[in-house]
Amino acid sequence: MTDCVFCKIAAGEIPSAKVYEDSAVLAFRDLDPQAPTHVLIIPKEHIASAAELTPENSGVVAHIFEVAARLAKELGLEKGFRVVNNCGPDGMQSVQHLHFHLLGGKQMGWPPFPPQP
Ligand code: DGP
């Protein structure tokens, strides 16, 4: 997609701090890190969000989780990590290209949203 920032990163048209790449996926450091380690893993194919996954295109998600496990080892996240996907307006998705946040290097909070009054 011509106006998609993550398609441009995947195509090398916008620079990124790349940590992994193969024919199907790219992983790079998030511009606005929310943890000591914060990597985004994206399919190179444009899929707008998790809501657009189908039996035809969902295989890449399993591959992304394999890459997350590999990167967690390589990046020293032996104590654990979190993989997050934000989907749609209520999910606070800000970039409309499927991506998974790999977060680690500190203990996360739970639940990930403020308690209701
Ligand atoms: P989300 O809210 O789940 O859509 O997260 C999008 C993330 O993408 C957000 O943490 C910031 C990051 N981001 C947005 N634009 C860029 C960019 O041009 N480069 C990099 N490295 N990260 C970006």
Side-chain angles (χ1 to χ4, degrees), residues 1-14 44-47 95-97:
M1 251 185 96
T2 49
D3 62 347
C4 170
V5 65
F6 286 179
C7 282
K8 288 181 179 167
I9 287 175
E13 293 165 14
I14 292 177
K44 289 186 170 177
E45 175 192 2
H46 183 82
I47 300 170
V95 177
Q96 309 310 311
H97 181 126

Side-chain angles (χ1 to χ4, degrees), residues 3-65:
D3 62 347
C4 170
V5 65
F6 286 179
C7 282
K8 288 181 179 167
I9 287 175
E13 293 165 14
I14 292 177
S16 67
K18 184 166 63 176
V19 293
Y20 176 83
E21 182 171 18
D22 63 29
S23 60
V25 307
L26 179 69
F28 53 96
R29 304 271 180 189
D30 195 291
L31 208 57
D32 181 22
Q34 303 299 314
T37 296
H38 187 169
V39 168
L40 299 172
I41 311 174
I42 68 167
K44 289 186 170 177
E45 175 192 2
H46 183 82
I47 300 170
S49 78
E52 303 301 320
L53 288 166
T54 66
E56 288 71 39
N57 67 13
S58 62
V60 73
V61 176
H63 183 52
I64 283 171
F65 273 78

